[in-house]
Amino acid sequence: TIVLFDDRDMISDWAADSIVYCTAVGIIENSGMLRPRDKASRAEAAVTIVRLHELLLAQDEYARLRA
């Protein structure tokens, strides 16, 4: 949850639910600081994209198995 981030007061209200979801499903890992006002490095962006891709593949596979 957002409460676990030390810089949670910097997270915009409109982004809070998405941060909670992305943390819960593992797209964002909690290292204590989210740094919502900073730019992501190329490596951080790549890791986030890969995690999202893996999540979508897993959801797609789950849906196929249930069909």
Side-chain angles (χ1 to χ4, degrees):
T1 67
I2 286 184
V3 205
L4 302 175
F5 291 104
D6 294 335
D7 54 355
R8 63 189 164 275
D9 57 328
M10 296 178 67
I11 299 170
S12 299
D13 292 339
W14 61 265
D17 289 341
S18 296
I19 297 297
V20 170
Y21 174 78
C22 288
T23 304
V25 297
I27 296 172
I28 297 173
E29 289 187 353
N30 183 357
S31 60
M33 298 291 285
L34 186 61
R35 301 182 349 252
R37 305 279 193 254
D38 292 353
K39 294 180 180 178
S41 70
R42 191 177 310 172
E44 290 169 327
V47 167
T48 302
I49 292 167
V50 168
R51 288 179 183 159
L52 175 59
H53 183 249
E54 290 172 349
L55 175 67
L56 293 173
L57 288 176
Q59 289 176 342
D60 188 49
E61 181 65 20
Y62 178 75
R64 268 191 257 143
L65 290 173
R66 293 196 59 192

